[in-house]
């Protein structure tokens, strides 16, 4: 996807009255700015989801794609660690039962099959558009810990490499990224590169109110954005 195509996705979403993007659309925008994402495919039904998983390779993650379900995990719309066709069949049936029980009227646009990322250090990179100060970027420890610890740092966007490195070092959990208790250090430069790109997205895309990449999984030699969302103005 090109950046021009990414901008059209946002324009079309706004014209249709939507206030957020679907996850595949958000992943497409990240790809357009060259943020690393897992291999993924959007399927319309269970059989296509199984076929996509066979092509991508196991293990995979199954996610619901619905403009009516923002918090997918709480709704039962995310199933992880699926290792074979039977796992997908079971997860699909369980997911549809849970969603029909709590979101009976939700529009379902499809099912996202995503290659499951290996374990690493989970961080969050985000962007927000402030009415007074304009676009800003955020970095912190990610996953479920971000809400608990609130260990984050901010800068106005766009940001330089030096500013990104300062942001990374400011969080209390910084030692987790540098090789805590004999673990391998993470690729700090790759993390900084994603912060820069999210800052550029916020600076260049005025119709984005918020963007959140959580988690961005950091490894010794790379990073990968496994989940992301975009809120529109």
């Amino acid at each position: 996807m090109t950046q021009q195509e990414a901008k059209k996705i946002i324009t079309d979403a706004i014209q249709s009255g939507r206030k957020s993007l679907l996850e595949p659309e958000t992943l497409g925008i990240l790809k357009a700015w060259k943020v690393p994402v897992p291999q993924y495919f959007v399927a319309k039904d269970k059989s296509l989801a199984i076929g996509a998983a066979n092509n991508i390779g196991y293990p995979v993650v199954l996610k619901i794609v619905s403009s009516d379900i923002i918090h997918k995990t709480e709704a039962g719309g995310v199933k992880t660690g699926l290792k074979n066709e039977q796992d997908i069949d079971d997860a699909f049936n369980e997911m549809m039962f849970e969603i029909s029980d709590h979101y009976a009227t939700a529009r379902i646009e499809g099912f996202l099959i995503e290659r499951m990322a290996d374990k690493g250090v989970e961080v969050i990179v985000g962007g927000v558009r402030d009415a007074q100060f304009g676009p800003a970027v955020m970095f912190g420890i990610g996953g479920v810990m971000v809400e608990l610890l609130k260990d984050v740092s901010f800068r106005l966007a766009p940001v330089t490499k030096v500013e990104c490195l300062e942001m990374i070092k400011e969080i209390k959990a910084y030692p987790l990224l540098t090789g805590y208790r004999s673990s391998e250090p993470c690729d700090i430069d790759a993390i900084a590169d994603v912060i820069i790109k999210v800052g550029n997205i916020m600076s260049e895309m005025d119709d984005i109110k918020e963007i959140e990449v959580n988690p961005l999984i950091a490894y010794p030699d790379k990073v990968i954005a496994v989940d992301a969302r975009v809120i529109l103005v």
Side-chain angles (χ1 to χ4, degrees):
M1 180 182 295
T2 66
Q3 293 184 8
Q4 195 62 36
E5 289 170 334
K7 292 176 181 179
K8 186 177 186 305
I9 284 176
I10 291 178
T11 299
D12 291 346
I14 291 174
Q15 289 178 349
S16 66
R18 289 161 52 196
K19 287 297 184 180
S20 63
L21 295 184
L22 301 171
E23 186 172 357
E25 295 171 331
T26 300
L27 292 174
I29 288 173
L30 293 178
K31 287 179 67 176
W33 267 264
K34 301 190 183 306
V35 175
V37 301
Q39 186 178 359
Y40 67 91
F41 182 83
V42 181
K44 289 298 184 181
D45 56 36
K46 180 167 59 176
S47 63
L48 290 175
I50 290 174
N54 288 334
N55 288 331
I56 291 172
Y58 295 96
V60 297
V61 179
L62 174 67
K63 300 180 183 180
I64 195 75
V65 179
S66 171
S67 55
D68 294 323
I69 303 175
I70 302 300
H71 301 290
K72 300 184 294 294
T73 302
E74 291 85 342
V78 179
K79 304 298 180 183
T80 64
L82 309 180
K83 300 177 181 178
N84 51 52
E85 293 185 6
Q86 187 61 53
D87 280 356
I88 295 178
D89 186 79
D90 293 342
F92 187 96
N93 294 336
E94 181 181 352
M95 176 185 292
M96 295 308 298
F97 176 80
E98 293 177 4
I99 288 175
S100 64
D101 192 37
H102 297 94
Y103 292 86
T105 61
R107 294 165 293 178
I108 298 176
E109 280 84 9
F111 304 89
L112 181 70
I113 290 289
E114 183 180 274
R115 174 78 185 198
M116 188 166 178
D118 295 330
K119 288 185 178 180
V121 179
E122 296 186 357
V123 298
I124 180 173
V125 176
V128 64
R129 193 170 305 281
D130 184 83
Q132 181 176 357
F133 297 105
V137 289
M138 177 267 287
F139 171 76
I141 199 68
V144 297
M145 300 303 291
V146 62
E147 296 181 3
L148 177 64
L149 301 178
K150 302 187 186 304
D151 186 14
V152 297
S153 58
F154 289 88
R155 291 292 188 283
L156 295 179
V159 285
T160 65
K161 178 72 169 292
V162 171
E163 289 175 311
C164 292
L165 295 175
E166 289 173 349
M167 290 176 68
I168 294 169
K169 292 178 181 177
E170 282 174 4
I171 67 169
K172 296 180 179 68
Y174 176 64
L176 290 176
L177 304 175
T178 59
Y180 183 70
R181 290 194 173 181
S182 75
S183 62
E184 288 190 84
C186 297
D187 191 338
I188 301 294
D189 286 338
I191 297 174
D193 188 54
V194 173
I195 299 173
I196 290 172
K197 289 170 179 174
V198 169
N200 291 341
I201 291 172
M202 292 301 300
S203 298
E204 298 168 24
M205 308 279 274
D206 294 338
D207 291 323
I208 292 181
K209 181 179 180 181
E210 296 177 17
I211 182 169
E212 180 181 292
V213 181
N214 183 30
L216 176 75
I217 302 184
Y219 304 99
D221 59 345
K222 64 179 181 179
V223 295
I224 190 163
V226 300
D227 205 347
R229 66 183 180 94
V230 163
I231 305 298
L232 303 173
V233 295

